[in-house]
Amino acid sequence: MPGADSRTHSAAGPARVVATFGRRFTLALPDGREVSARVKGRRLHPVCGDLVDAEPLEHDPEWVIVAIRPRRNELTRPNLRGRVEVLAANLDAIVVVTADLPPPDWFIVDRYLCAAELMGVVSAVAFNKIDLGELHPASARALEEYREAGYVILHTSAREGLGVDALLDFLAGRRGILVGQSGVGKSSLVNRLVERSLLPTAEISEKRREGRHTTVSSVMVALPNGGAVIDSPGVRDYAPAVAEPAEVARGYREIAAAAPHCRFTDCRHLREPDCAVKERVEQGAISSRRYESYRRLLALAERLDRP
Ligand code: GDP
Ligand code: ZN
């Protein structure tokens, strides 16, 4: 009996949400099959990357999502009604895409990297459009400073397909997203990754097709090395929320690494005596641009923190 057969599959473990179109979903079952699903009730809001418990229906090819497993992390943004909207869940990696065109804002890159650090995911900076020629000296310097702070740096050209293998390698075994300023080439890079994906492009564009009554759709594209990239307009345009003031320093790797050497355990690295961070900035071991960026983000966080 086919119904009984699929019911045994529902007990085999949670399914992964691999595409969303409003209130409709595509699930990857533990056995590798993909099925479409809806949710039971209005209370559940699954997103791409979620692990869910789902059950097949008796006389219907659709499945029903009955529960969302606890999330390891969430990518969120405030929506227009002042509530927090979850864009994706259970991420492993964030790739911050940047380029010399449009002119880069390194403070924005720092904010993405800070958010990634606080979410507990690995991050990389992908400098795209290298086909345009020599990097701007300020960009070359900024990338070198990130590398020295311990971040992974990739050089890519979505136009010429350069560095796409390195980007694939970075995403191996990881569920990742590409974020960054508008116009840096995120969609173009995702398209390059999709070309290497496990699914034929037609099947993915079918998944990407926005439902008639839905506004946001997102899709998770499986890559050949066990990785995946989650893509949607919302994910690509995601701007990180400002962290709690006490958390900001943890989002700057080189500052977090120096902080245990400060005299005060609650040192904010501003005007405190015997501050290891300021010492390293003076010695040139921590980039002064990154330090100023830290101070700027901390000031922003403190302004927003005030009741
Ligand atoms: P997004 O807004 O970050 O998703 O950026 P898009 O992928 O839409 O690309 C923005 C513009 O940059 C488009 O005109 C692309 O053709 C162009 N672009 C993207 N990647 C490259 C690249 O590697 N080299 C060059 N020269 N142009 C690129
Ligand atoms: Zn300090």
Side-chain angles (χ1 to χ4, degrees), residues 13 20 26 41 43 47 49 51 75 80 87 115 137 162 164 194 205-206 237-238 255-256 261 275 277:
T20 69
T26 305
R43 206 173 38 83
V47 296
L51 280 177
L75 190 73
L80 296 174
L87 299 165
L162 303 170
V164 179
V194 167
S205 49
E206 176 69 12
D237 298 344
Y238 147 83
I255 291 174
H261 304 285
C275 169
V277 172

Side-chain angles (χ1 to χ4, degrees), residues 97 99 101-102 127-132 156-162 178-192 231 236-237:
V97 183
L101 193 75
F127 188 83
N128 190 39
K129 310 198 186 186
I130 54 169
D131 56 283
L132 293 179
T156 62
S157 165
R159 177 159 296 173
E160 296 185 353
L162 303 170
L178 273 60
V179 299
Q181 281 170 265
S182 172
V184 293
K186 299 178 295 292
S187 330
S188 310
L189 281 172
V190 166
N191 286 339
R192 287 290 183 177
D231 191 40
R236 265 177 271 140
D237 298 344

